[in-house]
Amino acid sequence: CDHANQIREVEGNLQRKCPFCRHRVPASQQESKMDHMKRVEVNDPFAIAQMGIMRFYEGNYEGAFKYYTKAAELGDVASQYHLSCLYREGKVKMDEKKEFYQLEEAAIGGHPTARHNLGCREAENGNYERATRHLIIAVNLGHEPSIEMLKANYTKGNVSKADFAAALRAHQAAIDATKSPQREAAEKWEKQQK
């Protein structure tokens, strides 16, 4: 993670480098924008998705749509999720079929919130078995709201005890898998900076 890398650089008295290209970090905002545009020009899906996010927050939804679409074509699952949100919220022409398609593609690609939203949609339609399967997959990815929704559905009797227990174990395993001494040190360092 970026914080762990920053700590390594500070403790080792190393020159700060970009985590993507390993060149020195840009000295100015202008240099940073130029580096970012270079990445967009060579079809870096992450950089293209970032452009989509910037356009979205500027209120330029058509521009965001253009960048998200390009990043999604290059395999960026977060962009597929963002496209589904644009369709759902009517930021571009509302289209339920396209929204659902992008949501499914993002979920298949491993986007936990997309998987959670599919579970919510299935629960709204009364298909609790499919909803449970979607939520369990999201829980396996460490998605916190999904464990809460599973808990609520368990108390309503829509989720079996065995499924709920397995989901709890999988969620804990996902959380444990993200732990490392470097990450803990980075979190400690970040708290000290506040």
Side-chain angles (χ1 to χ4, degrees):
C1 92
D2 193 40
H3 290 293
N5 193 43
Q6 287 176 9
I7 289 172
R8 183 186 61 78
E9 290 168 348
V10 168
E11 289 177 349
N13 208 16
L14 304 171
Q15 180 184 16
R16 183 117 195 269
K17 294 184 179 180
C18 171
F20 297 104
C21 64
R22 297 293 179 209
H23 289 97
R24 70 172 185 78
V25 173
S28 70
Q29 189 70 22
Q30 185 65 24
E31 269 186 57
S32 179
K33 285 181 181 179
M34 286 175 28
D35 287 352
H36 191 233
M37 287 312 297
K38 284 180 192 175
R39 290 178 47 217
V40 169
E41 289 167 8
V42 296
N43 286 334
D44 177 345
F46 185 77
I48 295 168
Q50 286 179 318
M51 290 297 290
I53 291 168
M54 286 188 265
R55 295 299 172 265
F56 180 85
Y57 285 111
E58 292 168 357
N60 179 356
Y61 303 120
E62 290 300 322
F65 178 79
K66 180 184 113 182
Y67 284 111
Y68 288 150
T69 301
K70 179 68 174 172
E73 289 170 358
L74 294 169
D76 185 67
V77 294
S79 292
Q80 291 171 320
Y81 174 72
H82 290 306
L83 281 171
S84 75
C85 294
L86 288 175
Y87 284 123
R88 183 183 66 240
E89 296 167 4
K91 304 293 186 187
V92 294
K93 184 179 177 199
M94 287 184 95
D95 189 325
E96 193 172 329
K97 285 183 181 179
K98 288 181 181 178
E99 179 234 332
F100 189 69
Y101 172 78
Q102 293 295 340
L103 193 61
E104 279 188 319
E105 289 296 307
I108 290 167
H111 195 280
T113 306
R115 186 62 73 172
H116 173 84
N117 288 357
L118 284 175
C120 293
R121 181 177 274 193
E122 292 293 349
E124 288 169 3
N125 293 333
N127 193 344
Y128 296 110
E129 187 176 321
R130 282 184 66 125
T132 299
R133 285 196 307 244
H134 284 301
L135 292 171
I136 287 173
I137 293 169
V139 164
N140 289 343
L141 296 170
H143 194 251
E144 199 67 39
S146 294
I147 198 76
E148 295 302 319
M149 188 166 184
L150 268 179
K151 185 189 296 183
N153 283 326
Y154 172 70
T155 59
K156 292 177 186 174
N158 296 327
V159 177
S160 73
K161 185 176 184 177
D163 284 344
F164 185 60
L168 286 173
R169 287 190 299 275
H171 184 260
Q172 189 59 51
I175 299 301
D176 290 345
T178 63
K179 292 183 180 176
S180 72
Q182 294 87 358
R183 187 166 292 200
E184 290 171 10
E187 287 173 357
K188 181 180 177 185
W189 178 80
E190 189 177 53
K191 286 178 185 174
Q192 291 173 347
Q193 300 305 310
K194 292 180 181 179

